[in-house]
Amino acid sequence: MSLTEKPEETPERLAFYDKIDKEAFTPLWAVMSSIITPEPKSACQPHIWRFENARAHLLEAGGLITAKEAERRVLILENPGLRGTSKITTSLYAGLQLVMPGEVAPAHRHSQSALRFVLDGSGAHTAVNGERTEMQYGDFVITPPWAWHDHGNTTDEPMIWLDGLDIPIVTHFDASFAEGMDADEQPITRQTGDSLARFGANMLPVDYRQEKLASPIFNYSYARSREALEKMKAQQEWDPCHGLKMRYVNPVDGGYAMPTIAPFLQLLPKGFKTAAYRSTDATVHVPVEGRGRTSIAGETFEWGPRDIFVVPSWHHVSHEADEEAVLFSYSDRVAQEKLGLFRQDRGNN
Ligand code: GTQ
């Protein structure tokens, strides 16, 4: 018996498989090599979505359905290898959401965690746990599991952001709950900036006890994150595989900002080419600034700001920046680390 070879299918064996099949038995040796693989074998494919095309389709959708009727007016970015499953990777979901001026995406809550990464427009808001935040380009915003959330746009421009959710993970565990609110918008009980003041100023309320896994900060503004990268950049200490890569944290415990999704922000200096790297966490990338290209298992994808591309698990990846570039990304690394599954291969670096 080998882990990679299937035993021969003799007529006697096939007849036996057929017989037991009717009683819902399956011989392990006939399927072993496809379920316990020597390396990750993913149906997820490398792919890039162009923001310009997505924006045009979204605005067209804006003429077909309101945010209210749709509940969420979103175009799902569905991996070409996973069509019909609402997945961008095997474990994660991505969509692009449009909120038109004057619209509200009504309040609801669900078991799934969501992140927003703002790509177009400025000043629309989302409300979470009684607090509103205004969203700007590049802001990373969290909706924790089971938190009421509604989105609104009182500006005079369409607002588009990337939604990253752990829908496939929650589905995998059959743990989905969801409900709507009677009102379109939740009551606002805290001033804007309250959670940032309480948890995002290198202090915590004395005697604070952590009750939830998600970060209590819900808007990690691009302005602040970018400023930090700018400061560190001067030091010229580049990781061969990542350039300068930071993870967004929960300030309460230093862990990832979300329980199931690991978000990152990365700077690549002009002309930098990262060394080949692979890891078990399939990753969704969004360039925020700059242009360049990424090689994924030998295939090259040219990108510019707001395009969205996906690197499947255990595919070699190398980024090259023609101009100074900043990439936002997210993966299920936090979940894999908790489960003892995460692996990475940095080559000789
Ligand atoms: O904004 O609450 O893309 O519930 C998918 C499901 C966004 C949201 C999505 C959702 C939302």
CSV table of all heavy atoms in Angstrom, one decimal, residues 6 19 50 58 65 68 77 87 103 105 136 143 152 157 200 212 267 293 321 324 340 342-343:
chain,number,residue,atom,x,y,z
A,6,LYS,N,-3.2,4.0,-6.1
A,6,LYS,CA,-4.5,3.3,-5.8
A,6,LYS,C,-4.3,1.8,-6.1
A,6,LYS,O,-3.8,1.5,-7.2
A,6,LYS,CB,-5.5,3.9,-6.7
A,6,LYS,CG,-6.9,4.0,-6.0
A,6,LYS,CD,-7.7,5.1,-6.7
A,6,LYS,CE,-8.7,4.6,-7.6
A,6,LYS,NZ,-9.7,5.6,-8.0
A,19,LYS,N,-21.4,-3.5,-4.0
A,19,LYS,CA,-22.4,-4.1,-3.0
A,19,LYS,C,-22.4,-3.3,-1.8
A,19,LYS,O,-23.5,-2.9,-1.3
A,19,LYS,CB,-21.9,-5.5,-2.7
A,19,LYS,CG,-22.8,-6.3,-1.8
A,19,LYS,CD,-22.4,-7.8,-1.6
A,19,LYS,CE,-21.3,-7.9,-0.6
A,19,LYS,NZ,-20.8,-9.3,-0.5
A,50,ARG,N,-10.0,42.6,-12.5
A,50,ARG,CA,-9.7,44.0,-12.7
A,50,ARG,C,-10.7,44.9,-12.1
A,50,ARG,O,-11.9,44.8,-12.4
A,50,ARG,CB,-9.6,44.3,-14.2
A,50,ARG,CG,-8.7,43.4,-15.0
A,50,ARG,CD,-7.2,43.9,-14.8
A,50,ARG,NE,-6.3,42.9,-15.3
A,50,ARG,CZ,-5.1,42.7,-14.8
A,50,ARG,NH1,-4.6,43.5,-13.8
A,50,ARG,NH2,-4.3,41.8,-15.3
A,58,LEU,N,-20.6,46.7,-11.3
A,58,LEU,CA,-21.3,47.1,-10.0
A,58,LEU,C,-22.3,48.3,-10.3
A,58,LEU,O,-23.4,48.3,-9.8
A,58,LEU,CB,-20.3,47.5,-8.9
A,58,LEU,CG,-19.8,46.4,-8.1
A,58,LEU,CD1,-18.6,46.9,-7.3
A,58,LEU,CD2,-20.9,45.8,-7.2
A,65,ILE,N,-30.9,47.0,-9.1
A,65,ILE,CA,-31.4,46.6,-7.8
A,65,ILE,C,-30.9,47.6,-6.7
A,65,ILE,O,-29.8,48.1,-6.8
A,65,ILE,CB,-31.1,45.1,-7.4
A,65,ILE,CG1,-31.8,44.6,-6.2
A,65,ILE,CG2,-29.6,45.0,-7.3
A,65,ILE,CD1,-31.8,43.1,-6.1
A,68,LYS,N,-31.2,48.1,-0.6
A,68,LYS,CA,-32.2,47.6,0.4
A,68,LYS,C,-32.9,46.3,-0.1
A,68,LYS,O,-33.0,45.3,0.6
A,68,LYS,CB,-33.3,48.6,0.6
A,68,LYS,CG,-34.2,48.3,1.7
A,68,LYS,CD,-35.0,49.4,2.2
A,68,LYS,CE,-36.0,48.8,3.1
A,68,LYS,NZ,-36.5,49.6,4.2
A,77,LEU,N,-16.6,37.5,-6.0
A,77,LEU,CA,-15.5,37.2,-6.8
A,77,LEU,C,-15.3,35.7,-6.6
A,77,LEU,O,-14.8,35.2,-5.5
A,77,LEU,CB,-14.2,37.9,-6.3
A,77,LEU,CG,-14.3,39.4,-6.2
A,77,LEU,CD1,-13.0,40.1,-5.8
A,77,LEU,CD2,-14.8,40.0,-7.6
A,87,LYS,N,-16.9,31.0,-3.4
A,87,LYS,CA,-15.6,31.0,-2.7
A,87,LYS,C,-14.6,31.6,-3.6
A,87,LYS,O,-14.5,31.4,-4.8
A,87,LYS,CB,-15.1,29.6,-2.4
A,87,LYS,CG,-16.0,28.8,-1.5
A,87,LYS,CD,-15.6,27.3,-1.4
A,87,LYS,CE,-16.4,26.5,-0.4
A,87,LYS,NZ,-16.0,25.2,-0.3
A,103,GLU,N,-28.3,55.6,0.0
A,103,GLU,CA,-28.8,54.2,0.3
A,103,GLU,C,-28.3,53.8,1.6
A,103,GLU,O,-27.3,54.2,2.2
A,103,GLU,CB,-28.2,53.3,-0.8
A,103,GLU,CG,-28.9,53.3,-2.1
A,103,GLU,CD,-28.5,52.1,-3.0
A,103,GLU,OE1,-27.3,51.7,-2.9
A,103,GLU,OE2,-29.3,51.6,-3.7
A,105,ALA,N,-27.7,49.9,3.5
A,105,ALA,CA,-27.8,48.4,3.5
A,105,ALA,C,-28.2,48.0,4.9
A,105,ALA,O,-27.5,48.3,5.8
A,105,ALA,CB,-26.4,47.8,3.1
A,136,GLN,N,-12.6,55.6,4.4
A,136,GLN,CA,-11.8,56.2,3.4
A,136,GLN,C,-11.0,55.2,2.6
A,136,GLN,O,-10.8,54.0,3.1
A,136,GLN,CB,-10.8,57.2,4.0
A,136,GLN,CG,-11.4,58.1,5.1
A,136,GLN,CD,-12.4,59.1,4.5
A,136,GLN,OE1,-12.4,59.4,3.3
A,136,GLN,NE2,-13.2,59.7,5.3
A,143,THR,N,-16.2,43.7,10.8
A,143,THR,CA,-17.5,43.4,11.4
A,143,THR,C,-17.3,42.0,12.2
A,143,THR,O,-17.2,41.0,11.5
A,143,THR,CB,-18.6,43.2,10.4
A,143,THR,OG1,-18.6,44.4,9.5
A,143,THR,CG2,-19.9,43.0,11.0
A,152,GLY,N,-24.2,52.8,5.2
A,152,GLY,CA,-25.0,53.9,4.6
A,152,GLY,C,-24.1,54.8,3.9
A,152,GLY,O,-22.9,54.9,4.2
A,157,GLU,N,-21.2,60.4,-3.8
A,157,GLU,CA,-20.5,59.5,-4.7
A,157,GLU,C,-20.8,58.0,-4.4
A,157,GLU,O,-21.0,57.7,-3.2
A,157,GLU,CB,-19.0,59.6,-4.5
A,157,GLU,CG,-18.3,60.8,-4.9
A,157,GLU,CD,-16.8,60.8,-4.4
A,157,GLU,OE1,-16.6,60.2,-3.3
A,157,GLU,OE2,-16.0,61.4,-5.0
A,200,GLY,N,-7.3,51.8,20.8
A,200,GLY,CA,-6.3,52.0,19.7
A,200,GLY,C,-5.2,53.1,20.1
A,200,GLY,O,-4.6,53.6,19.1
A,212,LYS,N,-14.4,38.8,23.7
A,212,LYS,CA,-14.6,38.3,22.3
A,212,LYS,C,-13.3,38.2,21.7
A,212,LYS,O,-12.3,38.8,22.1
A,212,LYS,CB,-15.5,39.4,21.6
A,212,LYS,CG,-16.8,39.5,22.2
A,212,LYS,CD,-17.8,40.1,21.3
A,212,LYS,CE,-19.2,39.9,21.9
A,212,LYS,NZ,-20.0,41.2,21.9
A,267,LEU,N,4.6,46.6,2.2
A,267,LEU,CA,5.1,47.6,1.3
A,267,LEU,C,6.3,46.9,0.5
A,267,LEU,O,7.1,46.2,1.1
A,267,LEU,CB,5.6,48.8,2.1
A,267,LEU,CG,6.2,49.9,1.2
A,267,LEU,CD1,5.8,51.3,1.8
A,267,LEU,CD2,7.7,49.9,1.1
A,293,ARG,N,4.0,43.1,-10.8
A,293,ARG,CA,3.5,41.9,-11.3
A,293,ARG,C,3.8,40.8,-10.2
A,293,ARG,O,4.7,40.9,-9.4
A,293,ARG,CB,4.1,41.5,-12.6
A,293,ARG,CG,5.5,41.2,-12.6
A,293,ARG,CD,6.1,41.2,-14.0
A,293,ARG,NE,5.8,42.5,-14.6
A,293,ARG,CZ,6.4,43.7,-14.4
A,293,ARG,NH1,7.4,43.7,-13.5
A,293,ARG,NH2,6.1,44.8,-14.9
A,321,ALA,N,7.7,44.9,-7.8
A,321,ALA,CA,7.1,46.2,-7.9
A,321,ALA,C,7.9,47.1,-8.8
A,321,ALA,O,9.1,47.3,-8.7
A,321,ALA,CB,7.1,46.8,-6.5
A,324,GLU,N,7.0,51.9,-6.1
A,324,GLU,CA,6.7,51.6,-4.7
A,324,GLU,C,5.3,51.1,-4.6
A,324,GLU,O,4.4,51.8,-5.1
A,324,GLU,CB,6.9,52.8,-3.8
A,324,GLU,CG,6.6,52.5,-2.4
A,324,GLU,CD,7.0,53.7,-1.5
A,324,GLU,OE1,8.2,53.8,-1.2
A,324,GLU,OE2,6.1,54.5,-1.1
A,340,GLY,N,-3.0,24.2,14.1
A,340,GLY,CA,-1.7,23.5,14.0
A,340,GLY,C,-1.4,23.1,12.5
A,340,GLY,O,-0.6,22.1,12.3
A,342,PHE,N,-0.7,25.4,9.8
A,342,PHE,CA,0.0,26.3,8.9
A,342,PHE,C,1.4,25.9,8.7
A,342,PHE,O,2.1,25.5,9.6
A,342,PHE,CB,0.0,27.7,9.6
A,342,PHE,CG,0.7,28.7,8.8
A,342,PHE,CD1,0.2,29.2,7.6
A,342,PHE,CD2,2.0,29.2,9.2
A,342,PHE,CE1,0.9,30.1,6.8
A,342,PHE,CE2,2.7,30.1,8.4
A,342,PHE,CZ,2.2,30.6,7.2
A,343,ARG,N,1.8,25.9,7.4
A,343,ARG,CA,3.2,25.7,7.0
A,343,ARG,C,3.6,26.7,6.0
A,343,ARG,O,2.8,27.1,5.2
A,343,ARG,CB,3.3,24.4,6.3
A,343,ARG,CG,3.5,23.2,7.2
A,343,ARG,CD,4.3,22.2,6.4
A,343,ARG,NE,3.9,20.8,6.8
A,343,ARG,CZ,4.6,19.7,6.5
A,343,ARG,NH1,5.6,19.8,5.6
A,343,ARG,NH2,4.2,18.6,6.9
